[in-house]
Amino acid sequence: MSYKQIRLWKDRWSANLFLWLCLFFIFIVVLIGVGLLIKSAPIWKEQSIVHLIFSKEWKPFQGKFGFLAYISGSLLVTFLAVIIGLPISLMSAVYISEYAPGRVRSILLPLIDLLSGIPPIVYGVWGVLTIVPLVGQVLAPRFGAVSSGYSALTGGIVLAVMIFPLLIRILLDVFEAVPAGLKDASLSLGANQWETVKHVLLKRSAPGIIAATILALSRALGETIAVLMVCGNIAVLPRSIFDSVYPLPALIANNYGDMLSIPQYDAALMLAAFILFVLIFLCNALSRMVLNRLERRDYA
Amino acid sequence: MSHLRIATGAPGTAGPGLGSARQSNRRRRKLEAGMAKGLMLTCTGIITGSLLLILWSIVSKGLPSLSWEMITSIPGGGFYIGKGGGILNAIIGSIYISLGSVALALLVSVPVVLYINAYAQSHSVLVNFTRLVFDVLFGIPSIVYGAFGFTLMVALGLRASLWAGILTVALMVIPILTRAMDEVFKLAPPELSDATYSLGATRWETAKVLLRQSVSGIVTAILLSFGRAIGDAATVLFTAGYTDSIPTSLGQPAATLPLAIFFQLGSPIAEVRNRAYAAAVILTVIVLIISLAGKYFGKRLSRYKV
Amino acid sequence: MSQQSSTIGSEVTWSAEGAAVNTADANAAGSAGAYPGASEPPHLSVRNLHVHVGGNHILKNINIDIPNKGITSFIGPSGCGKTTLLKTLNRLLDRQKGVVVKGAVLVDGVNIYDKEVEVTDMRKKMGLLSQRPFPLPMSIFDNIAYGPRIHGIKKKKQLEEIVEYYLRATHLWEEVKDRLNQSAAALSIGQQQRLCLARGLAVEPEIILGDEPTSALDPVSTQRIEELFLQLKDKYTLILVTHILRQARRLSDTIVFLYMGEIIEYGPAEDVLLHPREKLTQEYVKGFIS
């Protein structure tokens, strides 16, 4: 082979190989979904999915696997996290993008990156050390409730801090996609900066803010270790935010591998993983498509 | 005063009515803007404050129990009832798993990133779809990877081992690494590949130039992934196992730092719990060092970058 | 004709002395051998070319023969398609999504849009200078040596000779000879553009494409680049896109005037600039449209 043929051969083969790796990884998504579905088959073949989701009876020894308590626990914690995390992140992102001088910005952004690099287990330890006593001894008594401190609210607060960096990063991207000309137009009509933020920036970014929220929601929904450490893990329907809850990921993490002797137990846990996967897959796909479109709108 | 001139319609005044409204409104508008800014500052304070609070509470609680012995020895007899020993097994295990998984992830991520940035037509359907897939994979929680990894492990006939842990963590890391590198490659000016193509370079040769251009960003991406890999508990929970000794082969189980923290924290004995806090300090310090190194290399290694 | 094209790119025959003289000779031998004298057919012609980008008809029925050697300038108001036309000449354009090219670009008689054509060979025949200089992320030496290296020259001594030759040819040698191993990004922007020119020349192209190559440069650097172009035009076919009418006047032998994706007029520079036939050209040359 001549030198040139070798070059062209390398080019062609690398192209083929790389393409197949790409396709393989697209295939992995399918594989994860199908794998979890197959492994959970024993349970959804015997009991209806609707029944599994809406029953609150969880008695593995009797073959009763009602996920309602876990699902409602997950939803409550996630909901709290977003309720707490979104306004704070939104205001902070507006500050960083519109108000903060360059130097302040260049200090804040690395700090936020540090926050996103802290491992979930450390968030969990922090939650146990700080937030559990805060909720148990300060917040709950103030609202006339009795709480061990291991509660839905504790999980919500810890998760809110965990989703700060994700929310802020995405919101900053979303704000950046708003054309500067639009803001200038508002300012030159005599609107002050806050009015410009309110009427132009936030309005124009609304789809992006919603997409970011959904993304943060799905992150919170899937978080495992930190939540598991602070939520108390009691599988009953929560009646207040000071009650202990048992989110789905915690259920999987606590029991998988140990309870395989009970029939259908592992299938039930795989079903839990499958439900998580599908929910989060849909949330992610939807919000990423919205965000991608937003980004492209102004580059095109 | 401008509002006095409305009647004459002098230039510089607004239409009828607006001028007088302006004066009474101005205070309220100013107040609202001030309050909003105060609120923003408060929120930013909460976020940075929570970072400092996390670091402070971990360090203040863990530092007293941190000792040289913890970092340099493996658990001795009676370690889990509060007697001597350390968590070297978990530190080494975590480093093995993170190194292995990031290396494995690189083998997949680099070709994928090169393909979508140097080989495929820009913004083609395949490229957009691949990016979307990796965005979605990025969002999949580690517990799902853990559960999937466990299924895969059983299907392949593996035990909980270093190898299974590496494989599972790699699955979680690949999207992180790929996305981070993709961001870097997207920054490379399109004229750079125009230049190499005009010299008669093939796509493969162009890809190599792009790699060179992106070296600093790639190092940062690797460190980022390493930090994620070392800190994640849910992926290794079922797949890597846990052992008091340092693994000597890929088939043996391996302890990991997050799990060392997790298990010891559940102990009823105070000394053991204190060690969990100390282990949390160790993990936090490792992660912070990696994160700062990432920032440092991101700036440093760009000698030839255009 | 096709025979000819296969001989130019396939075997790179380098020699130490060859580096010093080759470019002109290879060119002359290739075409003048087969077609002696003035009847020499053009290296590069465009036939019935239509380009659509994302559904927009950017270039409409382009037909030109670019004369060999000398400087041909594409002029016209911004958005007229001159850069697009330039990028279709070495197939950089169709790397983008949504680009449809119909018609033919003939290089030495071979349509480069034919499926069988080896794109890398074709591109090697055409150097490119972009609006801003983009040195490769490597040292000054490696920037020049990059092209010869990928085409198979490995000997250190030979590479050193090539690098020196082309750095001299672009009058950079004296300025950079003591820091060949430093990053090319450290050079001034004018030096970078000359480096990019040297880098392109080192793969022995026949044609040099310039996409407003002086638009990012200061007046002094611009002048140096222009001087280089005038020196190179005896050996190479230069095709420049420019939006500066005075530059086109200073440099061009041939002018192609484009407007809204069509060629309005083209011919020798004096004819087009001083005695334009078309009304649109007249208005553009006088500065009424820009």
Side-chain angles (χ1 to χ4, degrees), chain A residues 1 37 44 47 50 59 77 97 106 119 129 137 145-146 148 160 173 193 204 223 237 241 247 258 270 290-291:
Chain A
M1 264 197 288
L37 193 63
W44 53 256
Q47 307 180 29
V50 178
K59 286 172 184 152
V77 173
S97 121
S106 66
L129 284 176
Q137 291 156 26
V146 180
S148 61
D173 283 348
Q193 192 148 22
R204 175 86 180 198
E223 181 44 49
L237 283 181
I241 56 173
D258 298 341
M270 279 299 169
V290 171
L291 290 171

Side-chain angles (χ1 to χ4, degrees), chain A residues 7 14 39 194-195 198 256, chain B residues 29 32 119 150 200 205:
Chain A
R7 286 178 59 210
S14 58
K39 291 298 274 187
W194 167 243
E195 286 159 341
K198 211 166 53 169
Y256 206 74
Chain B
R29 288 175 56 198
E32 189 189 321
Y119 281 75
F150 183 77
E205 286 151 358

Side-chain angles (χ1 to χ4, degrees), chain C residues 2-252:
Chain C
S2 59
Q3 222 177 0
Q4 203 184 327
S5 79
S6 66
T7 53
I8 287 169
S10 60
E11 286 301 318
V12 189
T13 48
W14 274 94
S15 66
E17 306 88 81
V21 284
N22 58 49
T23 30
D25 286 5
N27 227 344
S31 37
Y35 303 93
S39 63
E40 180 181 320
H43 278 320
L44 189 62
S45 5
V46 181
R47 290 285 171 268
N48 308 324
L49 184 78
H50 291 267
V51 175
H52 295 257
V53 179
N56 297 323
H57 204 168
I58 303 289
L59 291 177
K60 298 161 193 159
N61 199 25
I62 303 291
N63 283 288
I64 6 168
D65 292 318
I66 308 277
N68 293 343
K69 309 285 162 40
I71 299 177
T72 300
S73 295
F74 294 170
I75 61 169
S78 57
C80 70
K82 47 193 195 299
T83 298
T84 309
L85 177 57
L86 192 82
K87 288 199 165 183
T88 49
L89 296 183
N90 69 346
R91 290 195 56 178
L92 279 178
L93 193 74
D94 51 325
R95 289 174 50 229
Q96 288 166 28
K97 187 196 165 198
V99 172
V100 182
V101 178
K102 277 180 242 157
V105 174
L106 304 165
V107 177
D108 295 326
V110 176
N111 181 9
I112 60 169
Y113 285 89
D114 269 354
K115 279 212 171 67
E116 300 86 59
V117 167
E118 185 46 62
V119 191
T120 54
D121 283 350
M122 178 275 296
R123 290 211 182 107
K124 184 174 166 291
K125 290 187 205 171
M126 294 192 233
L128 175 79
L129 273 183
S130 48
Q131 296 191 355
R132 268 184 53 209
F134 280 91
L136 303 177
M138 37 186 101
S139 70
I140 295 171
F141 183 93
D142 289 339
N143 256 277
I144 313 269
Y146 178 81
R149 260 194 201 125
I150 59 171
H151 293 294
I153 295 170
K154 301 285 179 200
K155 283 198 204 102
K156 183 117 204 301
K157 184 135 197 314
Q158 206 177 344
L159 285 171
E160 277 168 2
E161 277 163 16
I162 295 169
V163 169
E164 179 172 349
Y165 176 79
Y166 287 106
L167 283 175
R168 282 191 191 282
T170 49
H171 308 304
L172 262 176
W173 178 250
E174 293 301 324
E175 294 164 46
V176 302
K177 65 178 177 192
D178 300 322
R179 44 173 174 153
L180 290 175
N181 289 320
Q182 285 179 19
S183 166
L187 295 173
S188 78
I189 194 158
Q191 287 172 324
Q192 284 184 15
Q193 191 65 305
R194 278 184 283 149
L195 183 76
C196 290
L197 182 57
R199 176 184 72 192
L201 293 179
V203 294
E204 306 179 289
E206 299 159 27
I207 299 161
I208 295 167
L209 308 175
D211 180 12
E212 303 189 12
T214 60
S215 61
L217 306 186
D218 58 274
V220 178
S221 305
T222 300
Q223 203 187 352
R224 303 200 71 166
I225 291 276
E226 287 187 5
E227 281 164 10
L228 273 171
F229 286 160
L230 291 172
Q231 287 163 16
L232 292 170
K233 74 172 191 173
D234 299 333
K235 296 183 188 170
Y236 302 89
T237 304
L238 281 91
I239 304 172
L240 303 180
V241 165
T242 178
H243 65 279
I244 310 166
L245 211 48
R246 272 167 302 158
Q247 187 174 52
R249 211 167 267 147
R250 284 194 295 270
L251 300 176
S252 316

Side-chain angles (χ1 to χ4, degrees), chain B residues 246-259:
Chain B
I246 294 169
T248 50
S249 81
L250 283 172
Q252 291 177 355
T256 45
L257 262 177
L259 293 187

